Amino acid sequence: MGSLASHYPVVVIGAGPTGLTLANLLREYSVRLLLVERNLSTVQEPRAVSIDDESLRTLQSAGTIDAILPDVVAGYGSIYYTARRVPFATVEPTDTPYGYPRRNAFRQPKLEEQLRLALCGKPGSSTLFGWQLEEFTQTPAQVNLILRSATGERREVSCEYLVGCDGAGSTVRAGLNIVLTGTTYASRWLIVDLENNRNATKHTEVFCNRLRPCITLPGPHATRRYEFELLPGETDEDMLSPERVEGLLFQHGADPNARIHRKAVYRFHARVAPRWSLGRVLLAGDAAHLTPPFAGQGMNSGLRDAHNLAWKLAAVTNSIIGPRLLESYEQERHGHVWAMIHLALRMGRVMSPPSRLSAWLTQAGFRALGVLPPARDYITQMKYKPKPRFADGFMIADGRGARRTLVGRLLPQPVVRTEDGSHVLLDDAIGPRFALLVRTSDPERAFATLQHPVWELLRPVRIAVLPPDSRHAKLAHGIVVTECDEQFAAALGRDRNNVMLLRPDRYVAACFPLENARTAARSVETLLTDTWPDEALSPLLGGKALTQASPIELGRAHDLSPIHTEGDTHVRCRRQSIDTA
Ligand SMILES: Cc1cc2nc3c(=O)[nH]c(=O)nc-3n(C[C@H](O)[C@H](O)[C@H](O)COP(=O)(O)OP(=O)(O)OC[C@H]3O[C@@H](n4cnc5c(N)ncnc54)[C@H](O)[C@@H]3O)c2cc1C
């Protein structure tokens, strides 16, 4: 549990995958925090089963990937069948642009248990399991919380920022009076988890039969999930009866010797909060958005939120960047979350076509696409999945079009060779920091051009990436790695001597040619200055540039920064329940 203080830079409510990932990341960025969870343990019921490459990269940044990978089945595909069980489309991505296979099977209870264990091993984090947030008030300076244990014990704590990762029925969201908008996706699904399963295929199988849509997904350690849509008129009780479950499993080719671990009926939603923060209180994960699971993206979206938010909270609470940085959280994440929800809804329509004609048209369309190599690639390599990129936020646009620019994109993660000859993923070489990355064969000359006080404000790692065939080169006060193949160059373009400012979440904040280093430094200075409210900076700096401010002055500017809470909010959180099960 760690020793309990009365004030924290950050308090996180909810130890689901979003809250646990956020907490682990905050510790990697050296932020002291309290994590509060109303249950005595992490989740026991099987929920998410599909984790993507971006999430695995986030867990790498959170320092937890080595504990998690042994319980992940990496890299599987999907086969789509017609109602007559004829395959009409295959999704089997082979590339690993972010360092991991694109689709992977896991079990949510195991992941949460491992994230909790990892967090307990990190000094500086405190956890309260079996406690719930009862009430909070916020002022421009802090958030005050009242927590209550299952046995009725009461505790008061305060924090600079409160993050509600408390799921679909979020008490934090309700306390802010924010209501999710969107649709309630009306369908109900029977979920059956099998153990000791020896199914013939390691892939997901999708039976696109409007009379009974079904999907079956692989899992680690001989587990497998079956999901069946309920038809109008079918009751939950009826569908959960042993005869019905066994009949459905049999019809869909389940291993007859497998054991049923759990069965339950779920209802899914497609909803997003119209705003994700108010004053010093922010929402993340299911508290901010709900996604039907057909694209396997609900939890993955929550992990993206956690990565986007964690380094921003770290930079703001350490007075490295001004508090307006936090406005970019929703700005960068909102559109991407909607894109994922729309993808899930589209995939739901493929699985569950509304009529025989639409089933025929969709399936014929997929078959036709399979004939043309670029279109086939679009499906098999999952190019339809929304890209990890944003157009507005904490970044400096370089004037290139959305397809060509690297700014606002998640940087690919190649394997690189380090100075001692070992092969590591790029992020492991950089560490959990800002980075100035130059692909060059002359690191000393490149970084001599990058002398400007603005870079010191961000305390970046200086990293030079040498082309595969280059001779070894050294860089004082920096890291040199060598590309192992042409993949990185193919992803980034052939231009050498381009500098990238990488954020700790590995999105590209700026990209410029070395010869434009001075102009770029001025743009970065403006970007950073804009994160501070005028009222906080001007009395301290008196017209000086931000680069002339001392860390102490920035700390005072942070204390003076007014956070607009739209009147002090004083809310008593109601324990409300939204039906997700
Ligand atoms: C059947 C099913 C299949 C799914 N499949 C996938 C999939 O394959 N891939 C995928 O990415 N997603 C999938 N999802 C979605 C995924 O499970 C959720 O998106 C994910 O659990 C959300 O994580 P979270 O941490 O935001 O919220 P939650 O997991 O809901 O965690 C919230 C936590 O907050 C705690 N809490 C609530 N209120 C309080 C309070 N007042 N005080 C203290 N603690 C509180 C709760 O006890 C809970 O532990 C699936 C969901 C279901 C139901």
Side-chain angles (χ1 to χ4, degrees):
M1 172 162 107
S3 62
L4 282 178
S6 59
H7 184 82
Y8 293 85
V10 179
V11 173
V12 178
I13 306 293
T18 309
L20 284 162
T21 304
L22 177 64
N24 273 286
L25 284 165
L26 286 169
R27 277 317 299 147
E28 292 297 307
Y29 303 139
S30 305
V31 178
R32 218 164 42 78
L33 71 114
L34 171 66
L35 174 69
V36 182
E37 166 58 49
R38 74 174 166 211
N39 293 329
L40 288 170
S41 72
T42 47
V43 80
Q44 303 299 308
E45 75 195 54
R47 296 177 75 188
V49 290
S50 181
I51 187 163
D52 71 10
D53 49 346
E54 295 167 56
S55 287
L56 290 179
R57 189 177 185 179
T58 292
L59 296 173
Q60 178 192 353
S61 294
T64 57
I65 192 73
D66 290 342
I68 279 153
L69 280 184
D71 294 301
V72 169
V73 179
Y76 67 89
S78 292
I79 305 167
Y80 286 75
Y81 297 92
T82 64
R84 292 176 188 273
R85 306 275 168 95
V86 180
F88 68 89
T90 302
V91 176
E92 198 172 1
T94 48
D95 56 349
T96 54
Y98 304 117
Y100 297 93
R102 309 209 69 173
R103 302 181 76 223
N104 310 284
F106 82 114
R107 287 294 180 262
Q108 190 167 334
K110 190 79 196 161
L111 176 82
E112 292 192 16
E113 183 193 316
Q114 285 157 337
L115 289 175
R116 181 183 180 181
L117 264 177
L119 187 65
C120 291
K122 296 179 181 176
S125 63
S126 304
T127 56
L128 278 176
F129 276 74
W131 286 75
Q132 71 169 357
L133 171 71
E134 190 172 83
E135 190 175 332
F136 66 88
T137 58
Q138 65 170 319
T139 69
Q142 65 178 35
V143 188
N144 303 306
L145 321 177
I146 297 178
L147 309 175
R148 182 84 57 186
S149 76
T151 54
E153 206 183 326
R154 183 179 191 273
R155 203 186 273 276
E156 288 184 23
V157 292
S158 59
C159 57
E160 287 177 50
Y161 293 96
L162 171 68
V163 190
C165 301
D166 48 349
S170 169
T171 48
V172 176
R173 190 187 65 233
L176 296 177
N177 240 342
I178 296 174
V179 179
L180 296 177
T181 55
T183 59
T184 288
Y185 190 80
S187 66
R188 293 165 298 148
W189 286 74
L190 167 68
I191 310 289
V192 185
D193 281 296
L194 299 183
E195 287 175 341
N196 190 34
N197 172 80
R198 305 277 163 221
N199 200 290
T201 176
K202 73 163 196 166
H203 296 304
T204 294
E205 292 179 304
V206 189
F207 301 101
C208 304
N209 180 353
R210 68 192 177 85
L211 299 180
R212 176 73 75 197
C214 164
I215 178 166
T216 156
L217 305 107
H221 312 307
T223 56
R224 194 158 185 102
R225 155 126 355 138
Y226 282 79
E227 305 183 355
F228 306 96
E229 187 170 2
L230 271 66
L231 307 177
E234 287 177 333
T235 65
D236 295 7
E237 297 70 37
D238 178 31
M239 289 302 283
L240 286 163
S241 71
E243 307 75 53
R244 286 309 290 275
V245 171
E246 275 163 31
L248 286 168
L249 289 173
F250 175 75
Q251 284 163 25
H252 291 86
D255 176 357
N257 296 318
R259 262 192 319 275
I260 295 178
H261 170 61
R262 192 170 180 277
K263 51 187 180 175
V265 173
Y266 286 85
R267 284 167 184 73
F268 298 122
H269 307 271
R271 289 178 175 169
V272 178
R275 59 183 301 176
W276 295 16
S277 67
L278 188 62
R280 291 180 172 274
V281 184
L282 301 112
L283 301 171
D286 274 19
H289 43 78
L290 296 175
T291 311
F294 311 124
Q297 282 297 321
M299 183 199 75
N300 289 304
S301 287
L303 264 57
R304 283 187 200 97
D305 296 347
H307 210 170
N308 188 293
L309 191 52
W311 69 269
K312 294 178 180 172
L313 285 167
V316 170
T317 54
N318 288 319
S319 307
I320 292 169
I321 306 183
R324 279 197 181 147
L325 172 65
L326 293 173
E327 291 167 17
S328 66
Y329 162 58
E330 181 182 339
Q331 192 183 16
E332 293 171 2
R333 291 288 307 125
H334 199 280
H336 193 267
V337 157
W338 262 126
M340 282 299 179
I341 291 177
H342 284 298
L343 174 68
L345 292 174
R346 279 200 305 278
M347 290 178 79
R349 279 195 291 274
V350 173
M351 278 168 70
S352 183
S355 66
R356 194 183 288 189
L357 177 65
S358 78
W360 187 86
L361 288 173
T362 308
Q363 293 162 10
F366 273 100
R367 282 203 187 92
L369 286 175
V371 176
L372 307 164
R376 191 172 55 226
D377 228 34
Y378 182 79
I379 308 286
T380 52
Q381 297 299 326
M382 287 180 71
K383 293 188 177 166
Y384 52 81
K385 184 180 167 194
K387 302 268 179 304
R389 69 174 177 222
F390 47 81
D392 291 308
F394 186 78
M395 54 170 247
I396 298 166
D398 62 0
R400 293 183 175 207
R403 282 176 174 276
R404 292 192 57 223
T405 185
L406 293 172
V407 178
R409 281 178 193 244
L410 181 61
L411 188 76
Q413 180 177 219
V415 171
V416 292
R417 198 170 61 247
T418 60
E419 286 173 86
D420 67 8
S422 50
H423 288 78
V424 299
L425 285 167
L426 179 66
D427 295 359
D428 288 339
I430 298 176
R433 314 249 307 260
F434 273 97
L436 269 176
L437 182 149
V438 192
R439 290 166 64 227
T440 176
S441 30
D442 188 352
E444 283 299 352
R445 197 184 68 80
F447 278 94
T449 321
L450 283 166
Q451 300 291 345
H452 192 284
V454 76
W455 305 120
E456 301 320 312
L457 286 173
L458 295 173
R459 305 170 198 169
V461 173
R462 296 160 17 121
I463 179 158
V465 182
L466 305 177
D469 45 1
S470 33
R471 285 211 319 268
H472 184 64
K474 284 236 165 260
L475 174 64
H477 313 297
I479 300 166
V480 179
V481 296
T482 309
E483 290 171 38
C484 295
D485 52 38
E486 293 293 330
Q487 268 184 27
F488 202 40
L492 301 189
R494 301 275 148 192
D495 300 351
R496 296 229 163 256
N497 292 328
N498 267 353
V499 185
M500 274 179 267
L501 174 61
L502 284 186
R503 315 185 328 175
D505 61 1
R506 302 299 163 237
Y507 278 77
V508 179
C511 183
F512 51 92
L514 255 183
E515 58 271 25
N516 294 353
R518 273 187 170 281
T519 332
R522 278 198 295 276
S523 303
V524 171
E525 188 164 7
T526 308
L527 182 72
L528 293 178
T529 307
D530 287 348
T531 63
W532 293 97
D534 284 348
E535 310 90 291
L537 266 197
S538 8
L540 287 170
L541 300 183
K544 279 189 295 183
L546 188 68
T547 45
Q548 292 168 302
S550 68
I552 294 174
E553 282 173 320
L554 288 181
R556 283 181 53 211
H558 180 257
D559 293 343
L560 287 176
S561 292
I563 302 257
H564 300 290
T565 55
E566 297 182 4
D568 287 3
T569 39
H570 182 176
V571 274
R572 198 175 172 81
C573 302
R574 293 169 303 283
R575 211 177 149 151
Q576 59 161 42
S577 66
I578 285 191
D579 196 5
T580 49

